[in-house]
Structures are given as structure tokens and as C-alpha cells.
Amino acid sequence: MDFQALKTVLLVRDLGSIAGAARALDLDASNVSRTVAAIERELGQRLFQRSTRRLSLTEEGERYLRRVAPLLEEIDAANEEVTSSGDRPKGTLRMTASVAFVLEGIVPVLPKFHERYPDISVELFPSDSNLDLLAEGLDLAIRLAAAPKGDLISTKLLQTVYRVVASPEYLETEGHPGGPEDLTGRNCLCFALPDFRNSWRFRRGDEQPFDIDVTGRTTISSALALREAARLGMGPALLADWLIGNDLKSGRLVDLFPDHACAPANFETAAWILYPSRTYLPQKVRVMIDFLKEELGRR
């Protein structure tokens, strides 16, 4: 049986449609449909129930593909182990992260990565939307969340610490808030995400955390634009440490509450590396994960 054909069938299962698999593989939907039909003829069983609106696994299809998937991953792993034995990691690595994280976290360390692994090409897809790794043919993603959800495999890259910051010009004009409670009624800069928009969470030492309602005339969906608005003195903003580290060092932004921990809604927010496969991790992906942990962990 054709291994590539089986991989195509697995992609149809994972994406839930023949059209989605065809887009991911850059093939005509008719080609993918014929591949699925050929596998079904060879097995003498229908793997999918088809209707005009949806496609779902049959009981036989679910049982068969559940057993086939790890076998194909083992074959891929064995092939790479043999073909790359003694070789440097190589290939094209496709990865995605938020626009801000790509700019502030990944791009600055890429020259060192290319110096260490000259045979790996990197394709970056900055996006503030969560791209579908399987549908887009991506090897890994970096997501900022309290805990990743879904079927992807995850490993923590770094813990995210948030700070409430403002520019020296803003503080000169509006005065320094005495504590987080003084943010109430101020014209704060709000991030256009549910956990960031209406309240910020604070905790001092071992005390109980508390929430402060925030409002403002400006709400922005880009972390980079939000940082720039804070730099321009438009108001206090809640921003991640990896985004404002240089601004705090240079004095361009001021940490308003250094004795408080701050968070949008959850103090356990982190940057997570996500990838699709549980058992087979290509060498190019493995070295990128190790490299990012090493470099960003140090920073």
C-alpha cells in the first residue's frame, strides 16, 4: 500500500474534509478524493461517511487510521534516522508566531540559528491569528496562553511576566499612580483581547490577587501598536516582559508597580511551542525547539 496515499487519508481525517487536505497538499480535490477511494477499495471498507455538507469517519475508518498513524510516523522517523545519520540537520522549517513575538523574539536570534545550522531554511509566518498547523503545512507554532488547548503537542518555551508601564512624559503630565487601584478612571490603553480589555489582575507578595477594572478611549489589537502608543504617552498599558525589556532598560517606559505581579487574567501565562506529532519529531524541528529554549530562556 502506498505510504503517501495513507498520509493523504490521515490528513483528510485531521482536517475533516477532502477540500482542506487538497489545499494543504496543493492538489486538486478530485485527486485527493481518488486517493481516498483507492485505499477504500484496497481495504474493502469505507473509511469515511460522505454527505453534501460534511465528512466523518466510519467506525472501521476510525479504528484503522488510529492504528496506522503511529506506524507511518515510525516509518518517517526510521527513514530520517538512516538518511540523516552523520549529517547536519537540513530542510525547510515552517513556523508561526504572533507578529510581535516574531519581531522581538525570533528574528533577533535567527542569525545565530543559521550560523549553527546552515542547511536549515526557515520560513516564518507572523500572524496574530492561530493558524492551523496541518492545514498550512507548518512544523511548529509559538502560542501565548495560560495552557494550550487542542490536539497539538506542547512544550513550555518561557514563562511570560506582564508589567503595567507608561512613558515618563505621561507620568510628568498625569502623575504616577500610587497603586493599581489608582488606574480606575484613568485613560488606559486596552488590548483588544477578552482577557486584556476590561480588567487587569494584581498580586503583591503572598497576598490575595485582586482585579482592577480598566477603561480607555483607545483599544488596539496589535501588541506592537499598543507598545508604541504607550511610548507616545497615551496612557498605561499591560505588556509582556519580552516586548518591553529594552524600553524598561532605556527608560523609555517605566514599570508603574514593580512591587506587584501583574497579569491579564492568569498569572500562569507562558509562551508554548506547539507541534503536530506525538511520536515523530523531525531533526530540523527538534534542533529549533532546543535552540529557542536555550536562547530565549537565557534572555
Side-chain angles (χ1 to χ4, degrees):
M1 190 172 288
D2 186 342
F3 291 145
Q4 189 57 50
L6 286 173
K7 290 181 182 179
T8 299
V9 174
L10 283 169
L11 191 59
V12 172
R13 179 201 66 177
D14 292 337
L15 297 181
S17 74
I18 286 175
R23 285 192 296 270
L25 296 170
D26 196 22
L27 296 172
D28 291 334
S30 59
N31 289 342
V32 175
S33 183
R34 284 194 295 270
T35 298
V36 172
I39 294 292
E40 290 179 327
R41 282 196 304 272
E42 188 165 350
L43 291 172
Q45 295 284 350
R46 292 186 68 84
L47 300 178
F48 298 97
Q49 295 286 2
R50 300 164 178 80
S51 69
T52 55
R53 292 189 175 182
R54 62 191 299 264
L55 177 146
S56 59
L57 279 171
T58 64
E59 183 179 347
E60 294 79 11
E62 194 280 331
R63 189 165 57 243
Y64 178 73
L65 294 179
R66 186 177 65 243
R67 297 192 64 177
V68 163
L71 298 177
L72 291 176
E73 290 188 345
E74 281 296 322
I75 290 171
D76 282 339
N79 287 342
E80 184 185 22
E81 184 177 330
V82 170
T83 57
S84 64
S85 178
D87 293 342
R88 294 184 301 189
K90 57 180 178 292
T92 299
L93 178 75
R94 293 163 54 87
M95 61 184 296
T96 184
S98 71
V99 177
F101 200 89
V102 167
L103 181 63
E104 297 292 327
I106 298 176
V107 170
V109 299
L110 266 186
K112 186 173 182 179
F113 180 82
H114 286 310
E115 182 180 357
R116 186 179 300 180
Y117 303 108
D119 296 328
I120 298 179
S121 299
V122 177
E123 294 183 2
L124 288 174
F125 296 84
S127 176
D128 291 328
S129 300
N130 289 340
L131 300 182
D132 188 314
L133 271 67
L134 291 171
E136 302 294 337
L138 299 168
D139 295 296
L140 60 84
I142 296 174
R143 303 264 166 84
L144 306 173
K149 300 177 181 178
D151 297 329
L152 296 174
I153 314 306
S154 63
T155 180
K156 185 182 287 189
L157 174 58
L158 54 88
Q159 193 71 28
T160 303
V161 177
Y162 285 88
R163 308 307 311 165
V164 177
V165 297
S167 71
E169 292 76 15
Y170 170 85
L171 298 176
E172 184 177 343
T173 302
E174 303 295 333
H176 198 298
E181 61 278 357
D182 290 343
L183 292 173
T184 301
R186 289 200 180 221
N187 181 32
C188 295
L189 296 168
C190 299
F191 197 14
L193 290 176
D195 288 342
F196 287 76
R197 186 188 294 266
N198 299 317
S199 68
W200 298 340
R201 177 161 293 189
F202 296 89
R203 182 179 61 207
R204 184 167 61 183
D206 295 330
E207 297 176 4
Q208 285 294 316
F210 58 94
D211 296 335
I212 298 295
D213 292 336
V214 294
T215 58
R217 295 190 298 270
T218 304
T219 301
I220 303 175
S221 63
S222 162
L224 293 172
L226 197 67
R227 180 182 64 181
E228 186 60 24
R231 288 171 172 174
L232 292 173
M234 294 175 61
L238 178 68
L239 293 167
D241 54 350
W242 51 263
L243 186 61
I244 56 173
N246 290 333
D247 292 289
L248 292 175
K249 289 178 182 178
S250 67
R252 195 172 185 181
L253 291 173
V254 177
D255 184 352
L256 298 186
F257 312 114
D259 56 342
H260 285 76
C262 312
N266 192 314
F267 290 109
E268 299 307 315
T269 300
W272 300 85
I273 299 176
L274 282 72
Y275 49 93
S277 173
R278 183 176 298 277
T279 58
Y280 169 54
L281 196 61
Q283 191 179 17
K284 62 184 179 181
V285 179
R286 193 181 311 116
V287 297
M288 174 59 86
I289 291 174
D290 292 341
F291 175 82
L292 290 176
K293 286 185 174 181
E294 174 189 333
E295 290 299 315
L296 299 187
R298 180 185 301 124
R299 292 171 61 195

